[in-house]
Amino acid sequence: MEELQFGLGPAQRLPAPNQGDQRHTNELKANHSSRREFMKLSGLAVAGTGFGLPTAASAAGRRAQERDPDSVLARLLEGNKRFVSGQLAHPGRRPEDFAPLAEGQAPLAIIVGCADSRVSPEVVFDQGVGDLFVVRVAGNVVGGAGPFVKGSVEFAVAELGAKLIVVLGHEACGAVKAAVAHIDANDTLPGAIRDLVEVIRPAAAAVRGKPGDKLENAIKANVAMGVERLKGLDPILAGMVKKGDVKVVGAVYKLRTGVVELLD
């Protein structure tokens, strides 16, 4: 995201979200055996979320080899090459492109990206409607982001069958820049910006004194921390990652060139 502006009022806490309708949740459990297992594993109440469960037809439409995480990653990188060269295969988004997915979804990959207006994963990777399950939050944070980011990722893995997760940072990230700028100042930022920067501060602290560009190093460290957090996330992801059923990788998008570079 672009550099944050800090002309905000006093810090305020958002009210805790209301609990979902338990009766409706129980009905969903009774009607969807796969969802029962998901509930058992994660305890996530999905009533009222508005997520569309994949139909048997849409899930079957993604063959096993299509979902292989290495194959999906190669597909994303090929799409990025098309984007960089200006030879897009998915230039438009028409209503008729969405119609076949009205009954369900079966995305190939999950992108945990920044909310920055300059970084749109579907465009950057040149993917079609329904190919990506995108979770975006300033600073592409995972650890400390609460159940909304982690629960969304778990949902896409356990319910939608996605096997590749990409934590996507980007050049000149304003949230990371704020963490770098304020790590020594030890000042207090207004509102929830303070909480956001506090989550990213460990990445900035981890690269202090290291050679190279301070901001670039912190952006990469922030991505790497997100990757490690997802790899060890119980009870759903950690076991699947260990068995090789799910792959988690980190990458950084270069604003000036359009290139997505994988982290080592």
Side-chain angles (χ1 to χ4, degrees):
M1 58 183 287
E2 294 184 0
E3 186 170 358
L4 295 171
Q5 301 296 317
F6 299 125
L8 302 182
Q12 294 182 348
R13 295 284 183 182
L14 291 176
N18 293 327
Q19 295 295 322
D21 186 328
Q22 186 61 45
R23 180 179 61 80
H24 183 49
T25 301
N26 291 336
E27 290 174 357
L28 290 173
K29 289 180 181 180
N31 291 334
H32 301 284
S33 60
S34 64
R35 182 175 288 188
R36 284 202 305 270
E37 181 62 21
F38 180 52
M39 293 293 184
K40 179 181 177 182
L41 289 172
S42 67
L44 175 66
V46 298
T49 61
F51 285 130
L53 288 175
T55 62
S58 65
R62 298 295 198 188
R63 297 186 299 273
Q65 58 267 38
E66 282 187 288
R67 287 188 173 278
D68 173 73
D70 289 322
S71 298
V72 173
L73 181 58
R75 170 175 171 156
L76 295 187
L77 295 178
E78 282 299 318
N80 180 242
K81 289 180 181 179
R82 293 194 301 271
F83 169 70
V84 171
S85 67
Q87 299 176 336
L88 299 177
H90 302 282
R93 298 290 188 270
R94 303 167 301 172
E96 51 264 41
D97 296 325
F98 289 82
L101 299 174
E103 299 302 322
Q105 58 175 320
L108 290 172
I110 304 159
I111 310 295
V112 181
C114 184
D116 193 292
S117 62
R118 300 165 293 176
V119 188
S120 176
E122 294 90 345
V123 176
V124 167
F125 290 112
D126 188 28
Q127 297 301 301
V129 174
D131 288 334
L132 302 180
F133 188 92
V134 180
V135 182
R136 297 179 69 179
V137 61
N140 46 270
V141 295
V142 178
F148 304 106
V149 169
K150 292 179 285 189
S152 296
V153 173
E154 289 176 327
F155 178 87
V157 170
E159 282 292 308
L160 305 180
K163 297 182 181 298
L164 174 69
I165 307 169
V166 180
V167 180
L168 181 64
H170 68 92
E171 236 177 11
C173 180
V176 180
K177 185 184 295 185
V180 170
H182 295 278
I183 191 170
D184 293 323
N186 196 29
D187 54 0
T188 300
L189 298 175
I193 296 175
R194 175 193 58 207
D195 300 324
L196 172 64
V197 170
E198 284 300 319
V199 169
I200 302 174
R201 276 182 190 255
V207 298
R208 291 183 73 183
K210 291 189 176 181
D213 184 84
K214 186 187 303 183
L215 177 57
E216 182 179 350
N217 290 343
I219 288 169
K220 291 180 179 179
N222 184 48
V223 169
M225 287 181 177
V227 169
E228 292 306 309
R229 181 69 184 96
L230 289 173
K231 284 183 176 180
L233 189 60
D234 285 322
I236 295 174
L237 296 185
M240 299 181 76
V241 169
K242 188 174 182 179
K243 290 189 296 183
D245 294 335
V246 169
K247 185 170 188 172
V248 187
V249 301
V252 175
Y253 171 65
K254 302 294 186 177
L255 291 172
R256 291 174 176 82
T257 64
V259 174
V260 172
E261 294 183 356
L262 294 180
L263 296 188
D264 295 332

